Amino acid sequence: MAVRKNQATLTAKEKRDFVDAVLELKRLGRYDSFVSTHNTFIVSDTDNGERTGHRSPSFLPWHRRFLLQFEQELQSINPAVNLPYWDWTADRTANSSLWGADFLGGTGRSSDGQVTTGPFAFSSGKWALTVRPDSRSYLRRNLGGAVAALPTKAEADSVLAMATYDAAPWNSSSDGFRNNLEGWRGVNLHNRVHVWIGGHMATGMSPNDPAFWLHHCFIDKLWAEWQSRHPGQGYLPTGNTPDVVDLNDTMKPWNNVTPADLLDHTKFYTYDTGF
Amino acid sequence: MSENSAMPDRGSSSELTRRRMLQGAGVALTAAVGTAVIGFTGPNGQSAVAADPGAGDGFDEVYQGRRIQGRPLAAGHGSDHSGHHGGGYQVLVDGQELHVMRNADGTWISVVNHYQTHATPRSLARAAVLDLQGAELLPLT
């Protein structure tokens, strides 16, 4: 069974294998479809219309399926690679080993936000953006530039304590675990981390930054943690909800998988520890 | 906040409001007319306040050397699947469309600031100008 590990515990070889697999997908032209799929969904998921990937109950199963697909692509390059997760409640600064030149590289330079260190620096010649919001084809970051602090463990715990998965009107104004985790309400976990990284992570094309996968892997882990803390609770809504993916509805773009199919992550992988 | 400091021609606002009332797309927009403010805690913990763009309607200004424009769209452009999800509102930077979306609480996001809410389309357009640093927006693919 594949084990997804905390990125802070990866060996030098595990980091290298992950980075090399990502770069190889990019070289083969199989990376950028993930960027375009993500953006296509995020710009069309609306509070008053059809919503699947974001601002809706299926935010969590949609991204779980999206990450599984990406992980399978990585494993087609190197079967030993699993997605690592970034626990931003623990590794909270731009000096974290996550941002080292041997892994994701660091923040962008002050003049234009361009990432200039690590394997995803434009100057490496291996990371030119094709699906992008504007004319710049280099990866940008501004770690800690737009929001002072990453969410704390106490803030994450406060969201994990919420007993109800989601609530009407099933969008960015909902109460419940999903929307507080996504961050449109309350202490703001997921959205805030995108903003803390800045640059492309703040855009709809956020998967241009490989940090996307490590961030969302932790979001996925927090969902699993919520399930373990609330065994009597489950995915909502369960049926006949307009514009929203119910428990047994298939999800676009795959059209062959439902939230119910994805509730038990241990069918696919496990996490190295609890939260 | 200086969002409404440059008030547009008030003479057109009743006409724009009437047109917006006729738009199926304008549900969130019309719901906010007259309610003025909805409290919201933004990602940085600061209070972002959702102001009704109807109070300012359109805007057209040069900000940091870039022309930014915002305008309510004519009926029929807000709720279809043509790529407009801004609640019947369009924002341009140097004539290129900045994809925007209105949240249920009345705040706004754009394709370049998709995880951080702004109180008004003008604030959102200015944030995009700062992010772009002179770069040109590209059409969504």
Side-chain angles (χ1 to χ4, degrees):
Chain A
M1 174 62 69
V3 179
R4 292 182 176 178
K5 299 176 184 174
N6 186 324
Q7 59 79 27
T9 70
L10 295 187
T11 65
K13 181 176 189 309
E14 287 171 328
K15 290 182 186 180
R16 199 163 55 240
D17 285 350
F18 174 78
V19 166
D20 287 350
V22 171
L23 291 174
E24 182 64 2
L25 277 188
K26 179 79 168 177
R27 189 185 73 80
L28 292 169
R30 286 155 52 187
Y31 189 93
D32 294 340
S33 64
F34 287 93
V35 184
S36 55
T37 295
H38 185 269
N39 190 62
T40 296
F41 275 80
I42 206 168
V43 300
S44 59
D45 291 326
T46 60
D47 277 333
N48 296 311
E50 185 175 317
R51 47 200 184 274
T52 301
H54 306 85
R55 59 179 70 228
S56 59
S58 47
F59 168 69
L60 290 168
W62 190 90
H63 281 84
R64 176 166 285 175
R65 182 63 184 80
F66 191 58
L67 263 63
L68 272 169
Q69 186 171 350
F70 183 69
E71 189 173 49
Q72 287 160 4
E73 282 282 82
L74 294 177
Q75 289 167 349
S76 76
I77 306 296
N78 180 347
V81 171
N82 296 298
L83 287 182
Y85 64 88
W86 167 35
D87 179 352
W88 24 254
T89 70
D91 295 302
R92 309 178 50 75
T93 74
N95 296 321
S96 161
S97 60
L98 172 67
W99 309 111
D102 63 338
F103 202 16
L104 299 190
T107 193
R109 65 188 178 192
S110 58
S111 59
D112 60 2
Q114 182 174 164
V115 171
T116 58
T117 59
F120 307 106
F122 186 76
S123 59
S124 75
K126 298 177 179 176
W127 204 256
L129 310 188
T130 61
V131 181
R132 58 188 200 256
D134 58 67
S135 47
R136 295 166 292 183
S137 54
Y138 50 85
L139 178 65
R140 292 178 297 115
R141 288 186 190 131
N142 184 14
L143 302 183
V147 57
L150 290 161
T152 64
K153 184 164 195 312
E155 287 171 330
D157 277 328
S158 74
V159 173
L160 288 167
M162 295 176 177
T164 303
Y165 177 78
D166 208 340
W170 320 108
N171 62 19
S172 75
S173 67
S174 291
D175 292 325
F177 168 69
R178 186 275 311 167
N179 198 34
N180 280 268
L181 176 62
E182 189 172 1
W184 301 111
R185 279 288 170 274
V187 297
N188 184 356
L189 302 181
H190 156 267
N191 284 353
R192 197 197 326 178
V193 176
H194 277 271
V195 175
W196 187 88
I197 293 175
H200 287 99
M201 271 292 273
T203 77
M205 289 89 159
S206 44
N208 272 313
D209 191 333
F212 174 92
W213 307 106
L214 285 80
H215 170 39
H216 268 277
C217 192
F218 188 57
I219 295 296
D220 187 82
K221 183 174 190 289
L222 290 176
W223 182 24
E225 179 68 20
W226 177 85
Q227 290 174 305
S228 74
R229 293 189 190 189
H230 303 277
Q233 299 289 326
Y235 183 93
L236 295 171
T238 56
N240 301 312
T241 315
D243 293 328
V244 168
V245 179
D246 291 313
L247 177 63
N248 294 300
D249 290 347
T250 56
M251 285 189 296
K252 295 177 183 175
W254 307 285
N255 299 317
N256 63 355
V257 63
T258 67
D261 296 331
L262 293 163
L263 297 181
D264 178 12
H265 71 283
T266 65
K267 291 191 292 187
F268 311 104
Y269 53 85
T270 60
Y271 284 107
D272 55 353
T273 64
F275 178 56
Chain B
M1 301 284 281
S2 59
E3 300 309 331
N4 297 318
S5 59
M7 296 299 288
D9 175 16
R10 300 294 298 160
S12 64
S13 63
S14 62
E15 169 61 13
L16 288 168
T17 300
R18 188 190 64 78
R19 276 166 43 198
R20 198 176 298 119
M21 293 290 281
L22 297 175
Q23 294 177 26
V27 174
L29 216 52
T30 51
V33 168
T35 59
V37 277
I38 300 166
F40 182 74
T41 303
N44 53 8
Q46 296 173 344
S47 178
V49 174
D52 169 23
D57 276 318
F59 63 88
D60 187 344
E61 68 177 28
V62 175
Y63 179 72
Q64 304 260 323
R66 309 293 294 270
R67 185 180 185 186
I68 55 174
Q69 298 162 277
R71 62 190 183 204
L73 288 171
H77 283 272
S79 63
D80 60 18
H81 291 90
S82 63
H84 295 118
H85 304 98
Y89 201 89
Q90 184 181 54
V91 175
L92 304 175
V93 178
D94 287 341
Q96 298 294 314
E97 181 164 8
L98 175 70
H99 185 280
V100 301
M101 183 184 295
R102 196 163 201 211
N103 299 313
D105 68 357
T107 59
W108 298 78
I109 57 170
S110 81
V111 70
V112 298
N113 291 101
H114 221 291
Y115 303 90
Q116 186 171 34
T117 60
H118 284 256
T120 65
R122 185 199 300 263
S123 168
L124 195 64
R126 288 175 171 176
V129 167
L130 295 177
D131 181 78
L132 286 168
Q133 294 186 290
E136 299 294 325
L137 284 170
L138 297 178
L140 291 183
T141 52

